[in-house]
């Protein structure tokens, strides 16, 4: 009986032990399942949070849901605190916009020169006046010769690039219009068209390392602007330029008869500070002055009197009366050989001293002004947009088909 009782107790213990084992396993499984469920939920929550963040985050890393409120003063209009920015590829040629007088653009892109252009096979026939012969050269070689002749090579690179584009525009417009200097030549090598140095003259101009450095600088200015010209409504412009302004450029009709919308008077404050040609003095005897102006008779016999009656928008003299006879500022400048039509004077006993401000006609781009802008970090496109109102810098699109030798 005792043995049977012990057997029943042992069986009971084994069953109890099995139950605890099963219970323990169940508890472990429960913890495991709930733990995995918690990890899955946490992981899913983090993934969802990342996905939402990626969808609503704006440029600059500021989530839309926590966008700060824009603060304004009483003198400002409210403006967005976060500005959307869209990136776009650079255009092959920047579509430059006009810059108001006294202001410059700050967002112009570098010029993207294509591998090939419509000007690559165009030639220019230049009459070399001193040698009395015609030289036929590729268009970009011609522009190089003009650049070397028209602007000091020690100017800033961006000023040289602006000059290269202006010079290229001049010849493209001339070739497109069919104008020629003679039956055999398109242009002269003088300022009647554009000053130009031939290859031989360029090779003789400098020596040694200076020659290598200067020729490399000219080449870079040409290469980085190759094919680019200035246009207005799709046509090449009259890309007038001159040495030094009096502080402003001139409206085209103030010096010439034609009013051109892109040759408007704009501020050019850089010239006075940096150009050695900003101010000059020229003296005449009373007799020389009267003879140069063509004054005779009563006008030549009376006491010398000079009075300005009108000024241009560019602050040059538009009309002046000398001993009762009226002259334009341009007439006085050209008859007396003055540097500029902005002048003042002092009348002494038998001498008149003229003081001029600036050098050149004043229409278009001031070269010293361009250099001043380049020294301030402006690009060639910004310089051109300042001096040529409302124009674009773009690749030349058409030229006459012509066979040249």
């Amino acid at each position: 009986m005792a043995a049977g009782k012990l057997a029943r107790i042992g069986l009971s213990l084994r069953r109890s032990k099995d139950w605890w084992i099963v219970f323990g396993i169940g508890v472990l499984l429960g913890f495991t399942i709930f733990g995995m469920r918690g990890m899955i939920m946490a992981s899913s929550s983090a993934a969802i949070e990342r996905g939402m963040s990626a969808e609503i985050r704006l440029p600059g890393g500021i989530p839309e849901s926590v966008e700060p409120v824009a603060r304004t003063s009483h003198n400002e209009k409210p403006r967005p605190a976060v500005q959307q920015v869209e990136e776009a590829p650079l255009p092959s040629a920047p579509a430059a916009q006009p810059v108001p007088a006294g202001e410059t653009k700050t967002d112009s892109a570098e010029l993207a020169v294509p591998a090939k252009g419509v000007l690559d096979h165009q030639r220019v026939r230049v009459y070399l006046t001193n040698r009395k012969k015609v030289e036929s050269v590729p268009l970009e070689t011609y522009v190089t010769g003009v650049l070397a002749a028209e602007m000091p090579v020690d100017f800033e690179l961006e000023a040289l690039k602006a000059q290269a584009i202006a010079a290229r525009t001049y010849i493209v417009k001339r070739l497109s219009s069919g104008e020629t200097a003679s039956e055999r030549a398109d242009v002269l090598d003088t300022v009647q068209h554009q000053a130009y140095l031939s290859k031989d003259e360029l090779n003789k101009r400098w020596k040694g390392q200076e020659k290598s450095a200067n020729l490399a600088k000219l080449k870079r200015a040409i290469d980085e602007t190759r094919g680019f010209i200035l246009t207005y409504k799709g046509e090449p412009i009259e890309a007038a330029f001159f040495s030094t302004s009096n502080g402003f450029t001139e409206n085209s009709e103030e010096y010439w008869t034609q009013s051109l919308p892109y040759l408007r008077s704009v501020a050019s404050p850089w010239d006075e500070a940096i150009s050695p040609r900003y101010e000059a003095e020229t003296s005449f005897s009373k007799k020389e002055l009267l003879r140069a102006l063509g004054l005779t008779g009563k006008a030549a016999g009376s006491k010398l009197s000079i009075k300005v009656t009108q000024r241009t928008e560019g602050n040059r003299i538009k009309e002046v009366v000398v001993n009762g006879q009226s002259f334009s500022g341009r007439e006085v400048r050209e008859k007396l050989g003055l540097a500029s039509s902005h002048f003042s004077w002092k009348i002494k006993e038998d001498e008149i001293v003229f003081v001029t401000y600036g050098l050149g006609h004043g229409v278009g781009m001031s070269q010293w002004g361009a250099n001043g802008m380049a020294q301030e970090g402006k690009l060639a496109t910004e310089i051109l947009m300042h001096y040529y109102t409302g124009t674009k810098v773009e690749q030349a699109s058409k030229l006459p088909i012509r066979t040249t030798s």
Side-chain angles (χ1 to χ4, degrees):
M1 180 176 180
K5 188 174 184 179
L6 286 171
R8 287 195 299 272
I9 292 171
L11 178 62
S12 177
L13 287 172
R14 284 196 302 272
R15 288 176 177 174
S16 176
K17 184 179 179 181
D18 291 343
W19 184 89
W20 281 109
I21 291 171
V22 171
F23 178 77
I25 292 171
V27 170
L28 288 173
L29 285 172
F31 277 119
T32 302
I33 291 168
F34 280 109
M36 290 178 66
R37 183 172 180 268
M39 290 174 63
I40 291 168
M41 290 180 66
S43 177
S44 299
S45 177
I48 292 169
E49 184 179 351
R50 284 196 300 270
M52 289 178 66
S53 175
E55 289 175 359
I56 66 173
R57 194 168 293 274
L58 297 176
I62 303 174
E64 189 176 36
S65 58
V66 293
E67 181 180 340
V69 177
R71 303 288 180 182
T72 61
S73 71
H74 293 294
N75 298 321
E76 287 184 325
K77 294 181 180 180
R79 58 185 179 184
V82 181
Q83 183 178 0
Q84 296 258 11
V85 179
E86 294 183 1
E87 293 185 358
L90 293 178
S92 60
Q97 298 299 320
V99 181
E103 298 181 13
T104 55
K105 286 175 65 62
T106 58
D107 60 350
S108 293
E110 291 283 358
L111 298 176
V113 179
K116 293 183 179 180
V118 297
L119 303 181
D120 288 353
H121 302 293
Q122 180 66 45
R123 301 183 72 84
V124 180
R125 302 170 302 172
V126 191
Y127 182 73
L128 307 178
T129 52
N130 290 336
R131 297 167 62 183
K132 294 182 172 54
K133 63 173 289 187
V134 174
E135 178 178 83
S136 177
V137 295
L139 187 141
E140 296 297 351
T141 300
Y142 170 75
V143 176
T144 304
V146 173
L147 180 59
E150 291 282 8
M151 180 173 274
V153 73
D154 60 355
F155 272 24
E156 297 289 326
L157 178 64
E158 292 300 317
L160 289 166
K161 288 165 66 174
Q163 179 68 64
I165 293 171
R168 187 180 295 108
T169 303
Y170 175 89
I171 190 61
V172 166
K173 181 174 177 60
R174 186 173 179 84
L175 293 176
S176 298
S177 67
E179 292 182 78
T180 59
S182 68
E183 289 184 3
R184 298 189 304 121
D186 301 308
V187 289
L188 305 178
D189 64 348
T190 67
V191 292
Q192 183 175 339
H193 296 138
Q194 294 188 120
Y196 167 81
L197 293 176
S198 67
K199 284 184 178 181
D200 290 343
E201 291 170 310
L202 271 178
N203 285 327
K204 296 175 183 177
R205 193 164 200 183
W206 305 291
K207 294 181 180 179
Q209 291 184 346
E210 182 186 29
K211 176 181 178 180
S212 298
N214 290 344
L215 290 177
K217 190 175 183 181
L218 291 173
K219 184 178 185 302
R220 183 178 174 187
I222 298 301
D223 288 347
E224 293 185 8
T225 64
R226 183 165 47 85
F228 279 98
I229 63 170
L230 281 157
T231 66
Y232 184 82
K233 294 185 177 180
E235 296 293 331
I237 71 166
E238 292 284 356
F241 52 86
F242 62 100
S243 170
T244 304
S245 85
N246 65 338
F248 298 89
T249 64
E250 196 78 295
N251 291 330
S252 60
E253 67 272 17
E254 301 285 12
Y255 199 81
W256 300 310
T257 57
Q258 188 178 8
S259 175
L260 296 172
Y262 48 82
L263 294 178
R264 299 295 87 199
S265 178
V266 298
S268 186
W270 306 275
D271 308 61
E272 182 177 4
I274 65 174
S275 176
R277 298 182 173 186
Y278 175 76
E279 186 175 324
E281 280 192 8
T282 309
S283 300
F284 301 89
S285 68
K286 180 181 177 181
K287 186 177 181 180
E288 288 172 335
L289 177 69
L290 296 174
R291 183 170 62 248
L293 294 178
L295 295 175
T296 58
K298 184 178 179 180
S302 59
K303 182 180 179 179
L304 187 61
S305 171
I306 306 175
K307 183 180 180 181
V308 175
T309 56
Q310 283 185 291
R311 287 189 177 272
T312 68
E313 186 177 344
N315 201 32
R316 292 167 180 78
I317 293 175
K318 185 173 185 176
E319 185 180 66
V320 61
V321 176
V322 182
N323 282 12
Q325 186 164 330
S326 179
F327 298 90
S328 69
R330 176 180 177 176
E331 284 180 308
V332 173
R333 179 204 171 204
E334 293 179 350
K335 288 177 181 293
L336 299 183
L338 301 178
S340 167
S341 55
H342 181 182
F343 52 83
S344 60
W345 61 89
K346 295 177 182 178
I347 300 177
K348 299 181 179 180
E349 291 184 4
D350 191 43
E351 185 183 43
I352 301 92
V353 179
F354 285 88
V355 179
T356 54
Y357 303 92
L359 174 62
H361 50 64
V363 182
M365 182 179 72
S366 164
Q367 293 172 317
W368 278 93
N371 199 44
M373 290 185 71
Q375 288 175 354
E376 292 182 356
K378 303 303 181 187
L379 300 177
T381 49
E382 295 175 297
I383 294 168
L384 294 168
M385 294 307 95
H386 177 70
Y387 285 110
Y388 301 103
T389 306
T391 60
K392 292 183 179 182
V393 178
E394 56 188 351
Q395 280 286 323
S397 59
K398 56 184 179 180
L399 272 177
I401 300 174
R402 186 190 61 202
T403 301
T404 57
S405 57

